[in-house]
Amino acid sequence: MLRKAVLVFVLICLCCSCVPALDMSKAEPYDDVKFPKWTIALRRGEILFFGGLPIAYPITSLILNTMKKENTFWKTLGISCCVTASIALIDFIIGLIKNR
C-alpha cells in the first residue's frame, strides 16, 4: 500500500515538472498601486518574526538553562515569540521614523 502511494506521488511530481516555464519578458515590476506600503511593511515584519524565531528559540532555551529556570517547550516558545515580535515592532518603528 505504501509503495503504491509513493509511486503515485512520484508520478504526479514527474508529470507536474514537465510544465513549461512562463514567459517573463513582459513582466512589470511591482509598484505602489499593486501593493500598498502598509502591506510591504507587514510582510517585512512577518519575515523578521518567523525568520528570527528559529534563532531566538535555542538562545532562549540556553538562557533559561543557564538561569536554572524550569524549561518547558511552551514557556520557551512564548518567550521566543515575544522577543522576535519585539524585534519586528522595533524595526517597524525605526522604519516609520526613517521614512518621515
Side-chain angles (χ1 to χ4, degrees):
M1 180 67 182
L2 181 62
R3 286 184 183 180
K4 289 181 183 179
V6 171
L7 181 63
V8 168
F9 178 73
V10 169
L11 288 175
I12 289 173
C13 288
L14 287 174
C15 291
C16 293
S17 65
C18 298
V19 176
L22 297 174
D23 182 24
M24 298 300 290
S25 62
K26 298 178 184 177
E28 297 176 9
Y30 293 123
D31 55 1
D32 289 340
V33 175
K34 291 183 183 178
F35 292 107
K37 290 191 184 245
W38 68 269
T39 59
I40 295 171
L42 182 66
R43 176 69 177 150
R44 180 179 171 94
E46 177 186 3
I47 290 169
L48 282 172
F49 178 77
F50 287 113
L53 200 56
I55 297 168
Y57 183 83
I59 293 172
T60 305
S61 181
L62 285 173
I63 290 172
L64 288 176
N65 284 337
T66 304
M67 294 172 52
K68 303 210 186 309
K69 298 283 184 179
E70 183 182 346
N71 190 8
T72 62
F73 171 76
W74 293 110
K75 181 179 180 180
T76 308
L77 184 64
I79 294 171
S80 302
C81 287
C82 290
V83 168
T84 55
S86 299
I87 291 171
L89 183 64
I90 290 169
D91 179 72
F92 177 72
I93 292 170
I94 289 172
L96 284 178
I97 293 170
K98 192 175 182 181
N99 289 334
R100 274 191 183 164

